[in-house]
Amino acid sequence: MAEPAGFPARRAALRMLDAVLRRGDTLDTAAGATKGLPPSDAALARVIAAETLRNMADLDALIDAATRQRLPDDAKARTVLRMMLVQALRMDSAPHAIIATCLPLLAGGPRRLAHGVFSAILKQGKALPEAPTLPDEVQARWSQAWPDRVDAIAAGLASPPPLDITLRDAEQTEQWAGDLGAEVLASGQLRLPRGQAVESLPGFADGAWWVQDLAAALPAMLLGAGEGRRVLDLCAAPGGKTMQLAASGWQVMALDIAKRRLERLRQNLARTALSAEVICADAFKWQPDTGFDAILLDAPCTATGTCRRHPDVLHRIGQRQIDELAELQTALIAKATEWLNPGGVLVYATCSLEPEEGERQAEAVTLAPDPVRADELPAGLQPTGEGWVRTDPGMMPERGGLDGFFIARFRKAG
């Protein structure tokens, strides 16, 4: 029997969710389940999986209220019901199409149960809340860390983010804003509505810009103009900050241990006609010939600050991963401190909402603080009292929000 149209995309979405929730894979890694699908089906599978993860706590609450006996968390029927409900309640898909393409996923299983629960919830007129409910462990962590911000952060996760780009030439900001119909966030930083095919937009093929969330662009911006000085982009791949630094006149050395991600960096450099010395090496085994005038350390982290674009982090990351990465970050800061020339500047950053990866790291740095000033930041953002930068998905809500980042700047004694 031929598979119903749309079924392969739902099957791929189920496999992606299984990879994230059972194996702890990232959603990007799990996207291998879409191999061989037409681009439209692959995109649909990813959207279904991402929206299921974004709204999972609320989907589970609806399912539990509609079942006499609670389905196990890892039951296939629960995952399929999550997918069915998110398509109906968040993606506005037709119920008959959802039933036709999702119930076959339960062949040999409780199809009648899933059909009955799904139909009952829709008949009752149930809806998902505007702001997703955070998973219990995440809610507990962020309520303790950010008691005044946790509700705004949750509200900022309601939708996938818009498309932010960084221009190779900041002097062309107004020109590209007009050509792309984009909003200007800062000099050299534009925002477009999400859902656009990036490769087909004017200027992409010519290397005039690259995709980069505004928050992710801040660390390199805080190093200013390079004027030919030497900078190390430590943990550089896939290269957004490397390109920013090169475009700002720095002599850039880009170091990373990930060979595949560095290949993407090289491709981006070639497309933008920017130059940097690219080195594939383990930072703990590599030693530079000379010191650097500046080092940008965008350290490996849990990436919980990217939860609006990568909602899998809400379900994969716990205290164990936070503690392990915090140890790595401390060791990398020590290396960067060692390699910095006297008078040199270190910018430390993580795309994490966990204080252990941000504020606690900055408190332990032995270099002198170099506080960030308000006039160095785009309108709408302010440094903390310590002169650090902390962004989260609930900031600038009227303009589409931000990724969560922590940034601190230091200077080595001359």
Side-chain angles (χ1 to χ4, degrees), residues 161 191 213 215-216 305-309 351 391-393 401-405:
R191 175 162 288 181
D213 189 80
T306 68
C307 48
R308 60 189 188 137
R309 71 182 70 247
C351 55
T391 64
D392 68 51
L402 287 173
D403 279 354
F405 253 82

Side-chain angles (χ1 to χ4, degrees), residues 360-371:
R360 302 296 85 79
Q361 295 291 340
E363 290 168 354
V365 173
T366 58
L367 301 172
D370 186 1

Side-chain angles (χ1 to χ4, degrees), residues 92-312:
D92 297 324
S93 299
H96 71 274
I98 297 171
I99 291 168
T101 55
C102 288
L103 285 186
L105 295 169
L106 293 172
R111 295 175 61 167
R112 291 182 60 187
L113 170 66
H115 192 176
V117 171
F118 176 70
S119 299
I121 291 172
L122 295 192
K123 286 179 181 177
Q124 293 167 12
K126 299 292 185 179
L128 293 171
E130 186 173 337
T133 300
L134 297 171
D136 290 344
E137 184 180 345
V138 178
Q139 178 72 33
R141 286 202 320 267
W142 292 355
S143 292
Q144 181 176 5
W146 321 112
D148 299 328
R149 295 294 307 162
V150 65
D151 290 342
I153 291 171
L157 306 186
S159 301
L163 176 67
D164 288 0
I165 65 173
T166 297
L167 300 178
R168 182 179 58 200
D169 185 354
E171 293 185 1
Q172 297 181 357
T173 300
E174 295 298 332
Q175 174 189 328
W176 279 111
D179 290 348
L180 294 169
E183 175 187 4
V184 177
L185 297 175
S187 178
Q189 307 294 323
L190 303 180
R191 175 162 288 181
L192 293 80
R194 68 177 177 271
Q196 306 198 49
V198 172
E199 294 83 358
S200 65
L201 290 172
F204 178 82
D206 299 329
W209 51 265
W210 54 91
V211 175
Q212 187 176 35
D213 189 80
L214 175 62
L218 296 177
M221 290 169 60
L222 293 176
L223 281 175
E227 300 173 338
R229 292 174 293 163
R230 280 169 46 82
V231 63
L232 174 65
D233 188 0
L234 184 53
C235 309
K241 298 171 182 64
T242 294
M243 291 185 288
Q244 276 184 278
L245 294 168
S248 296
W250 289 92
Q251 181 185 342
V252 187
M253 180 177 288
L255 178 74
D256 202 286
I257 195 172
K259 184 176 181 180
R260 182 179 297 181
R261 284 164 54 86
L262 279 177
E263 184 55 37
R264 183 176 165 196
L265 187 156
R266 290 188 178 94
Q267 292 170 358
N268 283 327
L269 287 172
R271 180 175 61 84
T272 56
L274 293 168
S275 62
E277 182 180 357
V278 179
I279 298 175
C280 184
D282 183 337
F284 298 110
K285 298 177 181 178
W286 176 81
Q287 189 66 31
D289 295 332
T290 59
F292 296 93
D293 302 308
I295 296 177
L296 174 53
L297 171 56
D298 184 4
C301 69
T302 57
T304 52
T306 68
C307 48
R308 60 189 188 137
R309 71 182 70 247
H310 299 297
D312 51 293

Side-chain angles (χ1 to χ4, degrees), residues 26-55:
T26 67
L27 196 55
D28 285 343
T29 300
T34 65
K35 185 176 181 180
L37 292 181
S40 58
D41 278 2
L44 176 59
R46 186 179 179 105
V47 170
I48 293 172
E51 290 307 300
T52 299
L53 293 167
R54 191 185 308 278
N55 296 278

